[in-house]
């Protein structure tokens, strides 16, 4: 999900290609092999950026979804970097945010939720003026903040990817825990960020209350919170 303006990468790259590059692997969950529940999936749903029903619902209002760019920053310092980016970008950015997720963890036998950064090392920028943004953020490269893009202008996430980021995170940019059931091998989500996005889920681990999104999907194998209440 990325775009890298350092001198070694001068040509625009797609978010999927950049996600495979070593310097931005930290932004993605990547392909994981976890023990858990394998879901029944329509093979056609695995095609890259295929407009499944869930994705179509996400992008039907793509015309009003802001253009998104990504800035690669030092992992663990995303919020401080977002503040610097926001100050430097000014009116060239509509908003600057860190996408977070709710994940479940167990303490002394009790399940709790916490929020962490969904894509470590990544800050999202809703672009108002791409050229101005690129110029204003150039000097941040000295502080480990690299606008992912081409040499002369910022490249943007695709409409599907931008819609997915906003759709999963909502207005507060937090991917909320989902709750659902598995019926005859099919995931049905009742509440949370994954409602209507079941086709994006490739793997469920009930013991960790987690789901992994498909590696082929725009989210590139992201782990999100999911509690499966029942399986039949």
């Amino acid at each position: 999900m990325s775009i890298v303006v350092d001198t070694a990468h001068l040509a625009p790259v797609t978010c999927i290609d950049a996600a495979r590059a070593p310097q931005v692997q930290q932004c993605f969950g990547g392909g994981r092999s976890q023990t858990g529940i394998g879901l029944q999936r329509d093979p056609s749903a695995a095609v890259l950026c295929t407009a499944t029903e869930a994705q179509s619902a996400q992008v039907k209002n793509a015309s009003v979804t802001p253009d998104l760019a990504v800035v690669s920053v030092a992992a663990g310092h995303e919020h401080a970097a977002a503040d610097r980016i926001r100050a430097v970008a000014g009116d060239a950015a509509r908003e600057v945010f860190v996408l977070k997720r709710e994940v479940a963890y167990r303490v002394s036998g009790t399940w709790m939720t916490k929020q962490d950064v969904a894509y470590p090392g990544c800050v999202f920028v809703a672009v108002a003026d791409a050229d101005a943004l690129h110029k204003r953020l150039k000097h941040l490269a000295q502080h480990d903040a690299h606008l992912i893009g081409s040499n002369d202008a910022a490249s943007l996430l695709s409409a599907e990817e931008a819609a997915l980021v906003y759709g999963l995170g909502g207005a507060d940019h937090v991917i909320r825990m989902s709750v659902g059931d598995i019926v005859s091998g099919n995931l049905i989500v009742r509440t949370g960020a994954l409602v209507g996005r079941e086709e994006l889920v490739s793997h469920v681990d009930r013991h960790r209350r987690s789901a992994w999104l498909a590696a082929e999907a725009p989210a590139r194998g992201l782990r999100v919170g999911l509690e499966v209440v029942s399986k039949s």
Side-chain angles (χ1 to χ4, degrees):
M1 186 176 286
S2 50
I3 16 178
V4 188
V5 140
D6 41 24
T7 55
H9 296 79
L10 304 181
V13 290
T14 67
C15 67
I16 298 301
D17 291 336
R20 297 189 181 111
Q23 71 272 22
V24 293
Q25 276 294 319
Q26 64 181 349
C27 297
F28 298 87
R32 299 177 183 269
S33 177
Q34 302 285 344
T35 58
I37 300 170
L39 301 176
Q40 296 180 3
R41 294 177 58 82
D42 180 347
S44 65
V47 178
L48 177 64
C49 292
T50 295
T52 62
E53 287 186 19
Q55 290 170 314
S56 295
Q58 294 163 20
V59 301
K60 65 182 180 181
N61 293 322
S63 60
V64 297
T65 301
D67 290 332
L68 277 183
V70 183
V71 179
S72 176
V73 303
H77 300 276
E78 294 85 3
H79 291 92
D83 289 340
R84 294 200 307 272
I85 293 166
R86 194 176 293 111
V88 172
D91 59 4
R94 298 173 187 266
E95 67 171 333
V96 178
F97 63 91
V98 177
L99 185 64
K100 295 181 288 185
R101 61 183 172 182
E102 287 184 342
V103 293
Y105 67 105
R106 187 159 52 185
V107 177
S108 300
T110 301
W111 281 97
M112 306 177 69
T113 59
K114 65 177 180 180
Q115 292 184 6
D116 66 11
V117 176
Y119 292 108
C122 290
V123 174
F124 292 86
V125 181
V127 179
D129 185 329
D131 291 337
L133 179 67
H134 181 267
K135 292 174 183 177
R136 294 177 188 181
L137 295 187
K138 267 188 175 181
H139 77 279
L140 286 181
Q142 302 172 16
H143 304 283
D144 298 321
H146 303 273
L147 179 65
I148 299 176
S150 70
N151 190 40
D152 298 318
S155 296
L156 304 173
L157 300 186
S158 70
E160 290 85 356
E161 291 159 340
L164 184 62
V165 168
Y166 276 100
L168 287 174
D172 57 356
H173 308 301
V174 178
I175 304 172
R176 300 295 177 184
M177 281 283 300
S178 296
V179 177
D181 307 283
I182 293 178
V183 181
S184 300
N186 296 306
L187 176 64
I188 300 174
V189 179
R190 294 186 271 110
T191 63
L194 294 178
V195 171
R197 299 181 176 90
E198 289 90 345
E199 285 290 343
L200 294 177
V201 177
S202 65
H203 175 83
V204 172
D205 188 331
R206 293 186 69 186
H207 297 293
R208 297 177 67 180
R209 298 193 178 186
S210 297
W212 278 262
L213 305 189
E216 307 85 11
R220 292 293 299 167
L222 176 67
R223 176 192 171 194
V224 296
L226 170 67
E227 180 181 1
V228 174
V229 177
S230 67
K231 179 179 179 236
S232 61

